[in-house]
PDB file of all heavy atoms in Angstrom:
ATOM      1  N   PRO A  68      72.942  87.642 104.111  1.00  0.00           N
ATOM      2  CA  PRO A  68      73.470  87.945 105.498  1.00  0.00           C
ATOM      3  C   PRO A  68      74.568  86.967 105.914  1.00  0.00           C
ATOM      4  O   PRO A  68      75.410  87.483 106.775  1.00  0.00           O
ATOM      5  CB  PRO A  68      72.151  87.466 106.220  1.00  0.00           C
ATOM      6  CG  PRO A  68      71.201  86.727 105.329  1.00  0.00           C
ATOM      7  CD  PRO A  68      71.659  87.091 103.938  1.00  0.00           C
ATOM      8  N   LYS A  69      74.637  85.793 105.550  1.00  0.00           N
ATOM      9  CA  LYS A  69      75.815  84.965 105.948  1.00  0.00           C
ATOM     10  C   LYS A  69      77.103  85.459 105.401  1.00  0.00           C
ATOM     11  O   LYS A  69      78.015  85.515 106.145  1.00  0.00           O
ATOM     12  CB  LYS A  69      75.618  83.531 105.436  1.00  0.00           C
ATOM     13  CG  LYS A  69      76.667  82.538 106.048  1.00  0.00           C
ATOM     14  CD  LYS A  69      76.261  81.092 105.646  1.00  0.00           C
ATOM     15  CE  LYS A  69      77.226  80.066 106.278  1.00  0.00           C
ATOM     16  NZ  LYS A  69      76.901  78.747 105.844  1.00  0.00           N
ATOM     17  N   ARG A  70      77.059  85.756 104.183  1.00  0.00           N
ATOM     18  CA  ARG A  70      78.440  86.429 103.600  1.00  0.00           C
ATOM     19  C   ARG A  70      78.797  87.756 104.299  1.00  0.00           C
ATOM     20  O   ARG A  70      80.031  87.901 104.584  1.00  0.00           O
ATOM     21  CB  ARG A  70      78.156  86.540 101.998  1.00  0.00           C
ATOM     22  CG  ARG A  70      79.494  87.108 101.432  1.00  0.00           C
ATOM     23  CD  ARG A  70      79.322  87.111  99.884  1.00  0.00           C
ATOM     24  NE  ARG A  70      79.384  85.657  99.518  1.00  0.00           N
ATOM     25  CZ  ARG A  70      79.221  85.324  98.226  1.00  0.00           C
ATOM     26  NH1 ARG A  70      79.018  86.267  97.336  1.00  0.00           N
ATOM     27  NH2 ARG A  70      79.342  84.168  97.920  1.00  0.00           N
ATOM     28  N   ALA A  71      77.801  88.601 104.548  1.00  0.00           N
ATOM     29  CA  ALA A  71      78.129  89.816 105.282  1.00  0.00           C
ATOM     30  C   ALA A  71      78.676  89.562 106.711  1.00  0.00           C
ATOM     31  O   ALA A  71      79.621  90.311 106.988  1.00  0.00           O
ATOM     32  CB  ALA A  71      76.742  90.573 105.272  1.00  0.00           C
ATOM     33  N   THR A  72      78.128  88.646 107.269  1.00  0.00           N
ATOM     34  CA  THR A  72      78.667  88.216 108.579  1.00  0.00           C
ATOM     35  C   THR A  72      80.039  87.818 108.576  1.00  0.00           C
ATOM     36  O   THR A  72      80.837  88.189 109.418  1.00  0.00           O
ATOM     37  CB  THR A  72      77.724  87.321 109.325  1.00  0.00           C
ATOM     38  OG1 THR A  72      76.301  87.767 109.275  1.00  0.00           O
ATOM     39  CG2 THR A  72      78.165  86.933 110.762  1.00  0.00           C
ATOM     40  N   ILE A  73      80.352  86.848 107.709  1.00  0.00           N
ATOM     41  CA  ILE A  73      81.592  86.355 107.602  1.00  0.00           C
ATOM     42  C   ILE A  73      82.680  87.471 107.203  1.00  0.00           C
ATOM     43  O   ILE A  73      83.644  87.548 107.814  1.00  0.00           O
ATOM     44  CB  ILE A  73      81.703  85.248 106.420  1.00  0.00           C
ATOM     45  CG1 ILE A  73      80.940  84.012 106.925  1.00  0.00           C
ATOM     46  CG2 ILE A  73      83.142  84.836 106.089  1.00  0.00           C
ATOM     47  CD1 ILE A  73      80.752  82.942 105.898  1.00  0.00           C
ATOM     48  N   ILE A  74      82.302  88.321 106.225  1.00  0.00           N
ATOM     49  CA  ILE A  74      83.124  89.490 105.899  1.00  0.00           C
ATOM     50  C   ILE A  74      83.440  90.370 106.948  1.00  0.00           C
ATOM     51  O   ILE A  74      84.639  90.806 107.319  1.00  0.00           O
ATOM     52  CB  ILE A  74      82.627  90.128 104.720  1.00  0.00           C
ATOM     53  CG1 ILE A  74      82.569  89.377 103.403  1.00  0.00           C
ATOM     54  CG2 ILE A  74      83.218  91.614 104.497  1.00  0.00           C
ATOM     55  CD1 ILE A  74      81.860  89.889 102.276  1.00  0.00           C
ATOM     56  N   MET A  75      82.363  90.725 107.756  1.00  0.00           N
ATOM     57  CA  MET A  75      82.661  91.549 108.858  1.00  0.00           C
ATOM     58  C   MET A  75      83.553  90.884 110.011  1.00  0.00           C
ATOM     59  O   MET A  75      84.260  91.633 110.638  1.00  0.00           O
ATOM     60  CB  MET A  75      81.252  92.028 109.553  1.00  0.00           C
ATOM     61  CG  MET A  75      80.630  93.134 108.771  1.00  0.00           C
ATOM     62  SD  MET A  75      81.433  94.620 108.356  1.00  0.00           S
ATOM     63  CE  MET A  75      82.016  95.167 109.907  1.00  0.00           C
ATOM     64  N   ALA A  76      83.340  89.698 110.157  1.00  0.00           N
ATOM     65  CA  ALA A  76      84.167  89.004 111.238  1.00  0.00           C
ATOM     66  C   ALA A  76      85.603  89.022 110.640  1.00  0.00           C
ATOM     67  O   ALA A  76      86.547  89.170 111.605  1.00  0.00           O
ATOM     68  CB  ALA A  76      83.699  87.507 111.375  1.00  0.00           C
ATOM     69  N   VAL A  77      85.838  88.784 109.448  1.00  0.00           N
ATOM     70  CA  VAL A  77      87.246  88.684 108.962  1.00  0.00           C
ATOM     71  C   VAL A  77      87.870  90.220 108.993  1.00  0.00           C
ATOM     72  O   VAL A  77      88.985  90.386 109.640  1.00  0.00           O
ATOM     73  CB  VAL A  77      87.300  88.325 107.437  1.00  0.00           C
ATOM     74  CG1 VAL A  77      88.658  88.586 106.878  1.00  0.00           C
ATOM     75  CG2 VAL A  77      86.951  86.824 107.439  1.00  0.00           C
ATOM     76  N   VAL A  78      87.102  91.310 108.582  1.00  0.00           N
ATOM     77  CA  VAL A  78      87.709  92.592 108.668  1.00  0.00           C
ATOM     78  C   VAL A  78      87.869  93.081 110.080  1.00  0.00           C
ATOM     79  O   VAL A  78      88.827  93.885 110.394  1.00  0.00           O
ATOM     80  CB  VAL A  78      86.963  93.667 107.702  1.00  0.00           C
ATOM     81  CG1 VAL A  78      86.908  93.362 106.291  1.00  0.00           C
ATOM     82  CG2 VAL A  78      85.525  93.812 108.302  1.00  0.00           C
TER      83      VAL A  78
END
Side-chain angles (χ1 to χ4, degrees):
K69 186 175 182 180
R70 183 173 286 178
T72 301
I73 291 168
I74 289 170
M75 282 309 300
V77 169
V78 297

